[in-house]
Amino acid sequence: MFDKLTSILKQPFHLWLLGIYPILHLYSENLGLVKDREVLYVCAVMLSATTLAYLVGTRVIRCRYKTAFMLSICSLVFSLSGHAYVLIFIPRSLFVWTLFVLIALAIILVKLWKRDSSEIFKRVTPTVNIILLALLAIPITEIASSYVSKSINLQPISALGYTSPAQDPVPKVYDSESRPDIYYIIPDGYLRDSLLKTLINYNNSAFTQGLEDRGFTIVDHAQSNYAATLLSIASVLNMQYLDNNPLPTSDLDFLRFSIADNKVARQLQHMGYTYVQLLSGFWMPNPNADIIRDFTPSGTIEIEVSQSDFSMAILTGLPRKWKTIPIFENIYKRPFAPLYLRTTLLRIASTRLYERIFRDAAQPYDLMDPERFLDTVAEAKSIAHMPEATFAVIHLMKPHLPIYFDENGAIGERNWHPSDSEVIAELKFVNAKFLEMINAILEESRNPPVIVFQADHGSTHIDVSNELKSHVTFAPYAAYHFPDAYSISFPKPFTLINTFPLLLNEIFETNYELLDDRLIDLPLGYKDMFEQQDVTARYLGK
């Protein structure tokens, strides 16, 4: 048995292990955020390409150990080049970096080629195999653990008691002075004006003045309760803090579900409101919503979901067949292939080319796609046309990175490391689109609407010192439009979790109590959303 194991370890299979290790590692770092099926396709392509290269290489080099070692170096350079560029960023030009990597690789391969003895490659093969097996075990364990946790207890969600009991349908009402349309518009990662000025020297007063001219109240002391989108929006829409996951799902899926099927929407539906979901690619459709719309290259589509399909999809993460699109494969997940290619030597190729190659016209846009942002802004007008009293949740992935637009709205390459001037240029265009959307809502509404234009959190990507980072994260842009009949005095301090208690109490005379203001940092981010650190004493009121 030992001899057989030793014999196996002497074979140069490290080449194939090294080919798939970066893929599985990247996947394990993005569990729940990318499309699972694409990972298998990428692995299959990499293994096929590796095998073909090995067959050709052994014919040329005449030594399988030397061939495997040289190809392993090529595979390592290919897979890590994009990562290294992001981390090192020297030289700044991606073309220069790619050229440097190719020249360095060529020099290394030539030196190995000229080495007469192949004995060293044979000797190191078992050691390299063992190292790669150990490395590969780490992401495989994380992936397996994730799948096991999702497969525990596949009972319907309704049996868990999380959803509200079934109630008789409430007749829909038309919008009126007492039942105004309510828009919850979430510009992702929009920082308040004072910090935009301090950190990137940008004067955002023209946009703020534009909102004030349209009747908005700016609350420049608002603070988010959480340092991440899912927890922030889920806590606002459920008017409660979230410190654990009561469902047998991943934490990400629980939070997405909490956003889709939230207390505010259920309260308003019970009053006769029509609940409209404009999907952002970040959470899921809710079968209890009245209207669910998503955006694809072929146009806006209506999503229809049954409760049973929804429950099973959320608990298993498996693709489901829906009524309006062939396969609804976790639309809140990003395509994996473009993400992987950007970490490789092929990063120099056009990001937009990747997106065109891997895009299916019947599938929704990626949450980061600029077209999703543009189509969502345009769709707001159709909601304002509706005679029913509506509650619309509209999440926009701007001004969050990556940068796509210039000041005139031209779409360029996806840029995760923009200069301050590039951030400012896109923000000017994005601001213009926000005002365009708000103009459409105000002009097309039969009665003055309520508009909550409130970021989920402050900036998470502007380069600041560690001392300022959390402070900046908890400083969202916040502006509110109310009909003349209503007026809300925002307390100091004011955190976003009390947005809808204040709003519902003022407009509908409900009796929601305001929650204590707490600021909660997430040391592990999306890796563990419920590893939370209370930083209220340090940042509240700042």
Side-chain angles (χ1 to χ4, degrees):
M1 180 68 179
F2 180 77
D3 291 341
K4 183 178 291 188
L5 180 61
T6 302
S7 176
I8 292 174
L9 286 176
K10 289 181 179 179
Q11 305 306 313
F13 58 80
H14 58 81
L15 171 59
W16 287 267
L17 298 181
L18 191 57
I20 63 172
Y21 169 73
I23 299 170
L24 296 181
H25 174 72
L26 184 65
Y27 178 46
S28 69
E29 293 289 309
N30 290 275
L31 284 170
L33 299 173
V34 295
K35 295 183 178 180
D36 308 302
R37 184 176 296 184
E38 285 192 12
V39 180
L40 297 177
Y41 298 154
V42 173
C43 284
V45 171
M46 175 57 79
L47 292 174
S48 299
T50 300
T51 301
L52 179 61
Y54 177 75
L55 293 175
V56 173
T58 50
R59 284 184 172 273
V60 175
I61 300 174
R62 303 294 182 181
C63 174
R64 57 195 178 117
Y65 298 103
K66 188 175 183 178
T67 298
F69 195 84
M70 292 175 67
L71 288 177
S72 288
I73 292 175
C74 293
S75 181
L76 185 66
V77 170
F78 173 80
S79 296
L80 297 183
S81 177
H83 273 309
Y85 172 74
V86 172
L87 294 173
I88 300 172
F89 216 57
I90 301 173
R92 200 169 187 85
S93 167
L94 180 55
F95 173 78
V96 173
W97 168 259
T98 304
L99 186 61
F100 166 77
V101 169
L102 289 173
I103 292 172
L105 177 61
I107 292 172
I108 293 171
L109 293 179
V110 168
K111 285 185 175 295
L112 292 174
W113 176 286
K114 290 182 176 180
R115 190 178 185 91
D116 294 331
S117 174
S118 299
E119 186 62 28
I120 186 173
F121 301 113
K122 186 175 182 179
R123 288 203 310 268
V124 301
T125 291
T127 302
V128 176
N129 283 338
I130 292 172
I131 292 172
L132 262 297
L133 285 170
L135 286 175
L136 199 59
I138 298 172
I140 288 177
T141 300
E142 292 183 7
I143 295 166
S145 176
S146 171
Y147 274 84
V148 168
S149 66
K150 286 198 296 186
S151 65
I152 298 174
N153 188 1
L154 299 183
Q155 58 185 307
I157 282 180
S158 57
L160 300 172
Y162 182 77
T163 54
S164 57
Q167 297 176 340
D168 293 333
V170 176
K172 298 301 181 185
V173 299
Y174 291 106
D175 77 272
S176 62
E177 291 184 1
S178 61
R179 292 290 186 269
D181 289 338
I182 301 174
Y183 296 84
Y184 178 26
I185 301 172
I186 310 153
D188 201 294
Y190 201 146
L191 190 61
R192 70 169 66 138
D193 283 358
S194 59
L195 288 171
L196 285 173
K197 180 64 176 176
T198 300
L199 298 176
I200 60 173
N201 195 30
Y202 178 60
N203 185 347
N204 199 37
S205 60
F207 175 68
T208 296
Q209 186 62 53
L211 290 179
E212 290 177 336
D213 292 343
R214 290 161 176 79
F216 279 78
T217 297
I218 313 299
V219 181
D220 57 7
H221 61 276
Q223 292 180 278
S224 57
N225 301 92
Y226 292 96
T229 298
L230 287 178
L231 270 167
S232 179
I233 300 176
S235 64
V236 169
L237 285 170
N238 288 284
M239 301 179 287
Q240 67 182 67
Y241 290 98
L242 301 165
D243 55 12
N244 67 88
N245 175 5
L247 298 183
T249 70
S250 70
D251 293 344
L252 293 178
D253 283 348
F254 161 64
L255 292 170
R256 289 166 175 143
F257 171 64
S258 300
I259 292 171
D261 187 16
N262 60 80
K263 290 180 180 178
V264 171
R266 291 199 297 269
Q267 169 77 54
L268 291 171
Q269 283 181 301
H270 188 65
M271 297 177 179
Y273 271 76
T274 297
Y275 176 26
V276 181
Q277 271 191 299
L278 297 189
L279 297 180
S280 71
F282 214 54
W283 53 74
M284 61 199 63
N286 174 11
N288 295 322
D290 299 289
I291 297 173
I292 311 169
R293 289 177 183 158
D294 206 356
F295 307 96
T296 76
S298 58
T300 302
I301 58 173
E302 298 279 346
I303 304 290
E304 297 181 34
V305 182
S306 73
Q307 182 66 56
S308 60
D309 278 352
F310 175 73
S311 298
M312 188 58 68
I314 185 62
L315 287 174
T316 66
L318 296 175
R320 301 297 305 170
K321 288 186 178 295
W322 307 87
K323 296 181 180 179
T324 53
I325 48 179
I327 294 292
F328 183 84
E329 187 181 4
N330 296 336
I331 65 168
Y332 46 83
K333 294 186 176 182
R334 299 172 57 192
F336 178 77
L339 176 66
Y340 167 67
L341 290 173
R342 284 194 292 275
T343 69
T344 70
L345 195 62
L346 294 179
R347 185 184 184 92
I348 195 170
S350 167
T351 300
R352 300 292 290 166
L353 177 62
Y354 293 151
E355 292 166 351
R356 285 193 292 270
I357 291 173
F358 293 102
R359 176 176 291 167
D360 181 347
Q363 289 291 325
Y365 287 118
D366 175 31
L367 79 160
M368 297 296 186
D369 279 346
E371 292 87 355
R372 176 179 283 279
F373 170 76
L374 297 173
D375 289 356
T376 306
V377 167
E379 190 64 25
K381 185 175 183 179
S382 70
I383 302 173
H385 272 304
M386 295 172 57
E388 294 86 359
T390 57
F391 173 55
V393 178
I394 306 173
H395 176 220
L396 297 147
M397 285 299 297
K398 284 296 166 193
H400 196 285
L401 289 181
I403 296 295
Y404 270 115
F405 301 107
D406 66 13
E407 188 173 345
N408 299 314
I411 299 175
E413 285 297 304
R414 182 177 290 188
N415 183 359
W416 286 96
H417 300 277
S419 64
D420 288 352
S421 61
E422 289 171 321
V423 171
I424 291 169
E426 183 180 79
L427 184 56
K428 289 179 178 179
F429 172 73
V430 167
N431 280 345
K433 299 304 290 185
F434 286 149
L435 290 177
E436 175 187 313
M437 175 176 59
I438 289 167
N439 285 342
I441 292 172
L442 294 175
E443 292 168 4
E444 300 297 330
S445 297
R446 301 194 311 171
N447 292 282
V450 173
I451 304 175
V452 176
F453 184 85
Q454 175 180 278
D456 48 349
H457 50 69
S459 176
T460 58
H461 54 265
I462 291 178
D463 189 18
V464 296
S465 66
N466 289 333
E467 180 66 24
L468 284 174
K469 197 168 187 65
S470 291
H471 168 53
V472 170
T473 302
F474 294 117
Y477 194 97
Y480 308 89
H481 179 280
F482 297 102
D484 291 340
Y486 307 107
S487 176
I488 292 179
S489 176
F490 290 90
K492 290 186 177 182
F494 165 66
T495 57
L496 305 188
I497 202 166
N498 285 317
T499 300
F500 283 100
L502 285 169
L503 188 153
L504 295 175
N505 289 349
E506 171 66 17
I507 298 175
F508 305 110
E509 299 182 353
T510 54
N511 295 303
Y512 288 105
E513 293 186 4
L514 299 187
L515 280 72
D516 292 338
D517 295 301
R518 294 167 53 200
L519 307 186
I520 302 169
D521 205 359
L522 307 170
L524 301 180
Y526 279 91
K527 280 183 169 293
D528 188 346
M529 301 295 284
F530 295 107
E531 177 68 29
Q532 300 179 354
Q533 179 181 359
D534 193 308
V535 293
T536 306
R538 186 173 183 182
Y539 295 111
L540 185 64
K542 296 183 179 180

